Amino acid sequence: CSRTCAGGIQKREVLCKQRMADGSFLELPETFCSAPKLASQQACKKDDCPSEWLLSDWTECSTSCGEGTQTRSAVCRKVLKTGVSSIVNSSLCPPLPFSSSIRPCMLAACARPGRPSTKHSPHIAAARKVYIQTRRQRKLHFVVGGFAYLLPKTAVVLRCPTRRFRKPLITWEKDGQHLISSAHVTVAPFGYLKIHRLKPSDAGIYTCSAGPAREQFVIKLIGGNRKLVARPLSLRIDEEALAVRKASPKEALQTHKHQNGIFSNGSKAEKRGLPADAGGRYDDLVSRLLEQGGWPGELLASWELQDSTERNASSEEDQNAEQALLRLPFTMVTEQQRLDDILRNLSQQPQELRDVYSKHLVAQLAQEIYRSHLEHQDALLKPSERRGPPVAIPPHKHVSGFSSFSRILSTGEGGGGSRRPHRKPVIVRKISAAQQLSASEVVTHLGQTVALASGTLSVLLHCEAIGNPRPTISWAKNGEEVQFSDRILLQPDDSLQILAPVEADVGFYTCNASNALGYDSVSIAITLAGKPLVKTSREVVINTEEPAITVDVGSTVRTVQGVNVTINCQAAGVPEAEVTWFRNKSKLGSPPPLHEGSLVLTAVSSLDQGLYSCRAANLHGELTESTELLILEPPHVPTQLDDIWALLSATGLNLPSVLTSPLGTQLVLDPGNSALLGCPVKGDPTPNITWFHGDQPVANVTGLMYHILAAGQILQVADLSGGSHGDFSCLAQNEAGMLVQKAFLVIQDYWWSVDRPVTCSASCGNRGVQQPRLRCLLNNTEVDPAHCVGKVRPAVQPIPCNRRDCPSRWMVTSWSACTRSCGGGVQTRRVTCQKLKASGISTPVPSDVCTQLAKRPVDTQACNQQLCVEWAFSSWSQ
């Protein structure tokens, strides 16, 4: 077959051949074969193709130089058996790998205008991190580009890794002053700086220079009371005076800017162009971390117990805490970008909420740092040394909104990311009620209901998902993507925050978590003053293939019989709303199965059609939403055909008629006749009918005279000729499916027929022939040959027959002349026994052979037996 599905063609060779006496075949012109010529091709594989992805071409690289990405779109399509291609739901196609829609692309390295290409210019490989030392260590190693908050008396080694630059030429500065080696500070010739024992005067900004490339590193000290140590006042005054003397106001302002483009907090000294504290951007966040011990608040009590002699060794909780302390890092490490996100988040909060949010975000940051440390530890350990079951940390009583860290550890989500199997996303469902953190702020997880009050300034919706690869989080409101603004914010941890909520914010908010393996979603309701709220959908759902579907109330459902239909009615309210179901405005007396407020209809039929309404009611009011259920009936042939025959009769045309059928029916007509073709079909909704001649709609067929009657159910074709015969079909379609029925019109025509005579001119030998006879026929009936004038006249040739050896027989010659003309004479002839061959040669055989077959003919006979009468005459007279 030429195709694997959606209709193909099979071909074969049809020849006119004559079987010879020796068993071989002789190919002849088609006119020698009297039977109708067999079909040389037929249709095959008339099935729908399976759904498949249709991928577009890759886009151009997203960048003109350097590293970028290329993308392409994908749609799920299905080629039907009619050859029509349609777009279907993407869930019907096999899962498409993420790499199928996006891939990296690499172009030539970028060169900055006015500067030498990066291929030749020096480069410093900086690390944009923030380090916070929490426990005593003798020596710490760092790479430039970050911030370090360290304990006094710690030795520090600061490296400046460079490329395309000679390390002995690297120079170092501290707070703008060139550094040289001393007893306290060593400037090594291999690109690193060592401070032997930190003291308060060592705090400041260290800069390494490699030609035009410069990177900074900020060092600050932590006191014994977990407070940042202020730099000596005399030192700051000397530095400020030096900066004023050495720099212009414009240059002084530039000293505020960190190498990464981050500005420090504004002060009077800064406004004058003095570097009051250029590295103090993260001081407040670090101070808050130090206040709670530098790690998650859940471990703060355990840290205190480590130095206490009152610890109860038999307590199982203390044993867990001790195991956790064994893995506490000596130095907390986080990315600068994470702290920048927190600072930007805080700047967007109302002034009265910034303090409480700062506490929560810092606690969350501590959890993230600790989890990252555990993952790093697991990656470094050998498989046999890796830790056992994770330690569950007791919940923190003050920060429930950000305490999911302990749950993640206990489920194995926190550590050993490289060892975890791939799994599709799962959103964590929490059953705790929405928490009022302050008089004006509500923090809650998904699955809860939030009732807005007049004093609510902020609502924070948490969404926590586990999965591998890490799921991507997105938010939707009432089925549509959330539009973020200066009032509706997406936080760094993917939480959704609504500031100063108003009535327009009421609705169902859905968190969607997805990765390459699947997706999960959970909703939360926000109501006004506790009034009932129902999650609705306004889409029209059409289903003809799936055995079961689930929709939200408010939608319209069109499906076929036998499908299980579940209508969700997710209601919310404070107090909880009670759900009641109605059908066609009548309360369901004996309701079908219900599941958490959802209505389940099993194996629906036409009797289940109707309007299904869900009413949610509580003390504050009620709300009703409805879904219309329509049962679709795909096109089919009715069992009774009386209606279609009545339609054919009602036309009053009295023409030959035929009904189409799935297998095809045939009607034979004379040239020039007209005919009626009926398409018997039923369905709900009423199918649309399209007529085809061959593979083209009848409207596109040149020279075809037709009329469509009875809303497409009848096709009248007029003045039929040889060019308008063949396949006619009707395609009936509705939302539930399609049906194709066919009819074949055969147009009779005058044609010459070659008839072979029955008798042969000879029974043997080489001279036997049959002379064919031409007849003019119409529908196998002989008519006047004048009707066939203009038709191709077949060539008529005598046909050899009975060409075989004859049996032996007597052969005689002609009689000789009579010996006398009267009075009795004798005639003779020659008689021989001969055998005539098929080649035409006659050979003599013994007379005995012929005597056995026939009596020998006579070879003499009498002749001219009449009397001899003649005139007698005398001589002439004188």
Side-chain angles (χ1 to χ4, degrees):
C1 190
S2 63
R3 303 181 66 175
T4 58
C5 58
I9 294 177
Q10 288 177 312
K11 296 183 178 181
R12 63 178 179 182
E13 188 177 18
V14 179
L15 300 175
C16 181
K17 291 186 177 182
Q18 179 183 10
R19 185 187 296 272
M20 305 301 292
D22 59 358
S24 62
F25 287 92
L26 175 65
E27 185 175 340
L28 300 174
E30 294 182 0
T31 54
F32 280 82
C33 290
S34 59
K37 185 178 179 180
L38 300 176
S40 61
Q41 66 181 34
Q42 66 178 6
C44 56
K45 296 293 183 182
K46 302 178 183 179
D47 303 321
D48 292 351
C49 293
S51 301
E52 61 180 357
W53 288 107
L54 180 62
L55 298 173
S56 66
D57 294 333
W58 289 105
T59 62
E60 293 184 1
C61 196
S62 59
T63 59
S64 59
C65 60
E67 184 177 358
T69 56
Q70 289 177 291
T71 60
R72 62 179 176 182
S73 58
V75 295
C76 184
R77 73 167 182 176
K78 184 173 186 179
V79 180
L80 304 178
K81 57 187 175 184
T82 59
V84 178
S85 178
S86 62
I87 306 301
V88 297
N89 193 310
S90 59
S91 62
L92 301 179
C93 280
L96 190 64
F98 179 74
S99 58
S100 298
S101 58
I102 185 169
R103 69 180 182 185
C105 53
M106 180 68 71
L107 302 177
C110 302
R112 299 180 62 182
R115 296 191 180 183
S117 170
T118 55
K119 182 176 180 181
H120 305 290
S121 61
H123 173 72
I124 300 175
R128 312 298 182 193
K129 297 182 181 296
V130 178
Y131 309 90
I132 306 168
Q133 187 179 5
T134 59
R135 298 165 68 183
R136 295 286 181 185
Q137 289 174 279
R138 290 185 178 181
K139 183 188 294 186
L140 292 175
H141 292 258
F142 301 104
V143 175
V144 294
F147 288 66
Y149 294 84
L150 307 174
L151 297 173
K153 301 180 181 180
T154 302
V156 174
V157 177
L158 184 58
R159 295 193 305 112
C160 183
T162 61
R163 293 202 297 267
R164 299 182 295 274
F165 193 77
R166 294 178 59 192
K167 290 182 172 56
L169 300 181
I170 294 174
T171 60
W172 288 90
E173 296 177 5
K174 177 179 181 291
D175 296 328
Q177 295 184 0
H178 183 68
L179 274 179
I180 59 175
S181 293
S182 64
H184 182 63
V185 178
T186 299
V187 180
F190 302 107
Y192 67 86
L193 177 76
K194 180 175 182 180
I195 306 173
H196 295 281
R197 285 170 65 88
L198 283 178
K199 54 186 178 180
S201 60
D202 293 323
I205 301 176
Y206 292 80
T207 305
C208 83
S209 301
R214 294 168 60 85
E215 284 291 347
Q216 296 178 337
F217 191 80
V218 178
I219 294 180
K220 296 212 168 188
L221 265 65
I222 304 171
N225 56 355
R226 295 178 185 162
K227 300 289 185 182
L228 296 183
V229 176
R231 299 169 66 192
L233 182 60
S234 59
L235 244 153
R236 279 183 288 168
I237 293 175
D238 293 343
E239 291 172 0
E240 290 175 5
L242 179 64
V244 171
R245 290 197 304 269
K246 296 178 65 175
S248 66
K250 182 178 180 180
E251 291 171 342
L253 282 173
Q254 292 298 324
T255 61
H256 291 293
K257 188 179 289 187
H258 185 265
Q259 189 71 15
N260 297 331
I262 302 173
F263 287 91
S264 61
N265 294 329
S267 65
K268 292 181 180 180
E270 291 171 341
K271 292 175 183 178
R272 294 196 306 268
L274 304 177
D277 193 1
R281 177 176 180 82
Y282 307 124
D283 287 0
D284 183 62
L285 292 179
V286 173
S287 296
R288 290 186 180 273
L289 274 173
L290 294 173
E291 287 176 6
Q292 67 171 42
W295 44 80
E298 293 86 348
L299 297 177
L300 179 57
S302 300
W303 169 255
E304 302 296 342
L305 288 173
Q306 188 188 38
D307 296 328
S308 172
T309 58
E310 298 177 0
R311 179 162 54 92
N312 184 358
S314 63
S315 170
E316 181 180 352
E317 181 178 324
D318 291 343
Q319 291 175 3
N320 285 341
E322 182 179 2
Q323 293 180 33
L325 282 170
L326 292 178
R327 289 190 299 279
L328 277 178
F330 286 82
T331 302
M332 313 296 286
V333 183
T334 186
E335 300 288 339
Q336 290 183 28
Q337 181 63 44
R338 183 67 182 94
L339 298 185
D340 291 338
D341 290 342
I342 293 176
L343 291 176
R344 183 169 55 255
N345 186 4
L346 289 175
S347 67
Q348 296 173 337
Q349 302 299 325
Q351 189 66 37
E352 57 268 31
L353 296 181
R354 288 186 183 178
D355 184 62
V356 65
Y357 260 86
S358 178
K359 293 179 181 178
H360 296 321
L361 293 177
V362 167
Q364 186 183 26
L365 174 65
Q367 295 163 2
E368 291 177 1
I369 294 174
Y370 185 36
R371 179 172 56 187
S372 176
H373 168 73
L374 293 182
E375 292 176 353
H376 180 66
Q377 267 193 333
D378 274 358
L380 294 179
L381 291 176
K382 297 178 181 177
S384 60
E385 298 172 344
R386 285 181 177 158
R387 60 189 174 93
V391 179
I393 304 175
H396 191 262
K397 61 183 178 180
H398 300 300
V399 199
S400 65
F402 296 88
S403 61
S404 62
F405 171 61
S406 60
R407 177 198 52 74
I408 292 176
L409 288 181
S410 64
T411 58
E413 187 70 18
S418 61
R419 296 184 292 110
R420 288 185 287 118
H422 287 257
R423 59 184 297 185
K424 64 181 182 180
V426 176
I427 296 178
V428 179
R429 275 76 166 172
K430 294 207 171 184
I431 59 175
S432 59
Q435 183 180 9
Q436 196 82 19
L437 292 184
S438 66
S440 56
E441 182 193 25
V442 176
V443 176
T444 184
H445 283 80
L446 298 176
Q448 311 302 317
T449 300
V450 176
L452 297 179
S454 58
T456 305
L457 293 180
S458 169
V459 176
L460 188 67
L461 310 179
H462 277 298
C463 180
E464 298 175 7
I466 57 177
N468 188 25
R470 182 178 178 181
T472 300
I473 302 296
S474 62
W475 287 90
K477 176 189 175 187
N478 296 334
E480 297 182 358
E481 184 179 355
V482 170
Q483 302 298 321
F484 298 105
S485 63
D486 55 355
R487 198 174 60 80
I488 300 178
L489 311 173
L490 181 65
Q491 302 300 343
D493 63 345
D494 292 321
S495 299
L496 180 68
Q497 185 180 21
I498 303 174
L499 301 176
V502 295
E503 186 174 354
D505 297 323
V506 169
F508 276 86
Y509 290 80
T510 303
C511 172
N512 300 297
S514 62
N515 64 11
L517 302 180
Y519 70 94
D520 190 17
S521 64
V522 177
S523 299
I524 185 172
I526 297 181
T527 70
L528 187 63
K531 290 182 180 179
L533 188 67
V534 175
K535 184 182 179 184
T536 60
S537 172
R538 302 305 178 194
E539 65 177 341
V540 176
V541 179
I542 301 176
N543 173 65
T544 59
E545 298 180 354
E546 298 298 326
I549 57 173
T550 301
V551 298
D552 287 328
V553 69
S555 56
T556 300
V557 180
R558 298 174 181 267
T559 188
V560 294
Q561 298 189 38
V563 173
N564 296 333
V565 179
T566 301
I567 307 175
N568 288 334
C569 182
Q570 185 175 347
V574 180
E576 184 178 355
E578 181 182 355
V579 174
T580 307
W581 280 95
F582 298 83
R583 181 182 176 214
N584 297 330
K585 298 185 179 181
S586 299
K587 186 175 180 180
L588 289 174
S590 54
L594 298 174
H595 177 66
E596 296 181 356
S598 299
L599 181 66
V600 181
L601 304 175
T602 58
V604 296
S605 65
S606 57
L607 300 177
D608 295 313
Q609 286 193 133
L611 189 68
Y612 291 85
S613 303
C614 159
R615 183 179 69 188
N618 67 3
L619 297 176
H620 300 288
E622 65 179 44
L623 181 66
T624 301
E625 294 287 348
S626 301
T627 283
E628 184 179 12
L629 176 62
L630 300 174
I631 304 302
L632 303 176
E633 187 178 13
H636 64 278
V637 180
T639 54
Q640 299 294 329
L641 301 178
D642 297 342
D643 293 343
I644 186 69
W645 284 118
L647 286 175
L648 291 171
S649 301
T651 61
L653 298 176
N654 243 353
L655 297 175
S657 304
V658 65
L659 296 183
T660 59
S661 68
L663 298 178
T665 50
Q666 181 174 326
L667 177 64
V668 180
L669 300 167
D670 293 336
N673 276 10
S674 299
L676 297 176
L677 286 77
C679 184
V681 65
K682 281 191 175 183
D684 190 12
T686 302
N688 293 322
I689 298 176
T690 307
W691 285 92
F692 291 82
H693 179 38
D695 57 355
Q696 297 185 66
V698 291
N700 299 342
V701 179
T702 304
L704 180 65
M705 299 178 60
Y706 71 93
H707 295 284
I708 295 179
L709 311 173
Q713 284 191 275
I714 297 176
L715 175 68
Q716 176 191 354
V717 287
D719 195 15
L720 290 165
S721 62
S724 56
H725 74 288
D727 297 352
F728 283 83
S729 59
C730 62
L731 171 63
Q733 286 181 299
N734 65 7
E735 295 170 283
M738 64 176 62
L739 176 66
V740 178
Q741 301 184 85
K742 298 179 180 180
F744 306 98
L745 297 187
V746 179
I747 307 301
Q748 298 182 118
D749 202 358
Y750 297 103
W751 56 286
W752 287 107
S753 173
V754 179
D755 290 342
R756 298 178 181 178
V758 177
T759 60
C760 185
S761 61
S763 60
C764 60
N766 69 324
R767 295 180 180 273
V769 293
Q770 285 181 322
Q771 190 67 33
R773 188 171 69 90
L774 286 178
R775 295 191 304 159
C776 183
L777 300 181
L778 175 65
N779 195 21
N780 293 325
T781 302
E782 186 172 3
V783 296
D784 189 342
H787 290 296
C788 290
V789 174
K791 301 294 182 181
V792 178
R793 190 183 187 97
V796 177
Q797 298 290 339
I799 302 172
C801 57
N802 293 343
R803 299 297 176 91
R804 58 180 178 270
D805 293 349
C806 293
S808 299
R809 62 179 178 174
W810 293 106
M811 300 292 292
V812 295
T813 61
S814 300
W815 290 103
S816 65
C818 192
T819 57
R820 295 186 64 181
S821 61
C822 61
V826 176
Q827 285 181 313
T828 62
R829 63 180 179 183
R830 186 180 176 188
V831 178
T832 60
C833 182
Q834 302 232 353
K835 185 173 185 179
L836 182 63
K837 298 283 187 178
S839 60
I841 300 175
S842 181
T843 58
V845 294
S847 299
D848 297 342
V849 177
C850 293
T851 303
Q852 297 175 5
L853 299 175
K855 183 179 179 181
R856 185 180 186 279
V858 295
D859 54 2
T860 60
Q861 68 177 4
C863 60
N864 292 341
Q865 295 295 321
Q866 74 275 15
L867 296 176
C868 292
V869 179
E870 60 180 3
W871 292 98
F873 58 87
S874 63
S875 304
W876 290 103
S877 65
Q878 293 183 355

